[in-house]
Amino acid sequence: MAQGSSHRPPRPHRVVLVVDENSNPFEMSCAIEVFGLPRPELGRELYDFRLCADGPATRMRDGFFTLTGVAGLEAAEEADTLIVPNRPDPEVPRSPRVLDAVRRAHARGARLVGFCSGAFTMAEAGLLDGRRAACHWMWAEAFRTRFPRVRLEPDVLFVDDGEILTASGSASALDLGLYVVRRDHGAEIANAVSRRLVFAAHRDGGQRQFVERPVPEVPDESLAPLLTWAQERLGEPLTVAELATRAAVSPATLHRRFRAQLGTTPLAWLTGERVALACRLIERGEERLDVVAARSGLGTAANLRARLRRETGLSPSAYRRRFGPAAGEAVST
């Protein structure tokens, strides 16, 4: 190494959340929880998180409190990922300065994320025409009327349309946030973040927004014991029929309960869990695809390749290069 030179690790990916007049505090808190907290248990910083606003004082939703002491909109100019503001009333326009900041971030290649009604902000900025997007089911018709050129998917948790991602309701902000962590850092890190949140590690974006949660009658119809049992046996040739037998119900009844409680089907849930396990095995250093496929219950290396590419957009080898044990060696050496 040349005298006087020093190796500096690259700064973490910078996430900036724009807060605008009447923004929801819940989504702001979700972003802080996922992207803003230090992670000493992981031994490294995942993100450099900042809040910014168009003014020294921002009145939050319904005047619950006023946010002060955050950076100005110039912080958005340095964002690698910009989380756009949401609004409880989607008919109220965003400020021109905020919309300009969002457009500039997009123009220079920053990733854009919208929680809940954040899709309205991006559509108002003219960035969603011809693209897929999600928004809260309550505002689906209003959104379609105002922005007919956007390909709205009204009954999903979130949509990944490349460098523009949108989530539907308030709680799906956590789903999308964890999805972004998984995309950036892999399934193992996303799992660690979700454990700290005491939140489901992975819900597929295509799941339904509205999930019925009736008060269970006796006997308890909660799926939790069955899910735990299945997660411990993912490498076994589990079928939906076997899950139904374990739950002591018919396959049709099990399907209805999955739809009501999880917003997905038993087979889709089982496949998602197996893919997540396969990702963790690759991240921990297992290089033999047939072993990963067998231990995760995906059966064959060909099926593993197909499922992993569908879920992550990466082949197993590309996933290993990005998230495997050797991924950080170039930085640490």
Side-chain angles (χ1 to χ4, degrees):
M1 182 178 294
Q3 186 175 3
S5 66
S6 62
H7 175 76
R8 293 183 180 180
R11 68 167 175 82
H13 184 101
R14 180 165 293 162
V15 177
V16 177
L17 169 66
V18 181
V19 182
D20 203 4
E21 197 72 17
N22 221 26
S23 286
N24 276 331
F26 180 82
E27 285 84 352
M28 179 181 72
S29 299
C30 288
I32 293 171
E33 283 283 343
V34 174
F35 302 109
L37 297 187
R39 306 285 175 189
E41 70 275 17
L42 300 179
R44 60 189 173 99
E45 188 178 3
L46 300 183
Y47 297 99
D48 173 8
F49 180 81
R50 300 182 182 185
L51 287 168
C52 73
D54 183 19
T58 304
R59 183 176 180 270
M60 301 298 288
R61 179 175 182 171
D62 297 328
F64 289 141
F65 61 89
T66 298
L67 184 68
T68 61
V70 301
L73 276 181
E74 63 275 5
E77 305 295 335
E78 300 178 354
D80 300 310
T81 292
L82 187 71
I83 304 177
V84 307
N86 58 68
R87 68 185 93 189
D89 183 355
E91 298 302 319
V92 177
R94 295 290 90 181
S95 77
R97 279 172 45 83
V98 167
L99 293 178
D100 285 344
V102 173
R103 293 187 191 104
R104 287 195 302 273
H106 177 67
R108 61 179 172 76
R111 179 170 58 191
L112 300 183
V113 174
F115 293 151
C116 195
S117 56
F120 280 84
T121 302
M122 286 190 273
E124 192 174 337
L127 303 179
L128 290 182
D129 287 355
R131 305 188 74 134
R132 298 163 52 240
C135 78
H136 196 288
W137 61 267
M138 287 180 60
W139 298 315
E141 287 307 313
F143 188 94
R144 284 197 186 97
T145 300
R146 287 188 62 190
F147 308 110
R149 298 178 64 183
V150 181
R151 295 160 54 195
L152 182 68
E153 298 188 10
D155 195 33
V156 299
L157 292 178
F158 59 84
V159 166
D160 176 356
D161 196 59
E163 291 309 296
I164 294 184
L165 301 94
T166 48
S168 54
S170 295
S172 60
L174 286 173
D175 289 300
L176 180 53
L178 287 169
Y179 173 82
V180 169
V181 173
R182 187 181 184 209
R183 199 170 102 167
D184 291 346
H185 298 284
E188 194 76 26
I189 295 295
N191 237 26
V193 175
S194 71
R195 282 196 301 271
R196 182 161 163 180
L197 285 166
V198 195
F199 191 75
H202 174 63
R203 289 201 297 170
D204 185 78
Q207 290 183 208
R208 293 187 308 152
Q209 286 185 37
F210 182 70
V211 180
E212 300 171 5
R213 295 189 183 275
V215 177
E217 299 176 357
V218 178
D220 188 359
E221 295 183 351
S222 168
L223 288 171
L226 176 65
L227 301 184
T228 299
W229 179 85
Q231 285 169 331
E232 294 171 351
R233 295 165 174 80
L234 292 174
E236 300 176 13
L238 294 177
T239 64
V240 173
E242 287 172 312
L243 293 178
T245 299
R246 176 71 184 183
V249 296
S250 69
T253 297
L254 184 70
H255 192 280
R256 286 196 297 272
R257 289 186 184 176
F258 265 78
R259 278 292 188 188
Q261 297 182 36
L262 299 180
T264 190
T265 66
L267 182 59
W269 176 85
L270 192 58
T271 301
E273 290 296 311
R274 283 171 165 161
V275 171
L277 175 57
C279 289
R280 294 196 296 273
L281 292 172
I282 293 172
E283 291 171 30
R284 292 169 185 170
E286 180 56 68
E287 296 185 358
R288 297 164 295 175
L289 294 190
D290 56 340
V291 173
V292 173
R295 290 181 59 188
S296 63
L298 291 173
T300 66
N303 190 44
L304 167 63
R305 290 188 187 94
R307 293 293 180 180
L308 193 67
R309 187 175 289 279
R310 180 183 179 276
E311 291 289 328
T312 70
L314 299 172
S315 67
S317 58
Y319 192 91
R320 183 182 300 111
R321 285 194 299 270
R322 184 168 177 181
F323 300 118
E329 285 182 2
V331 173
S332 60
T333 57

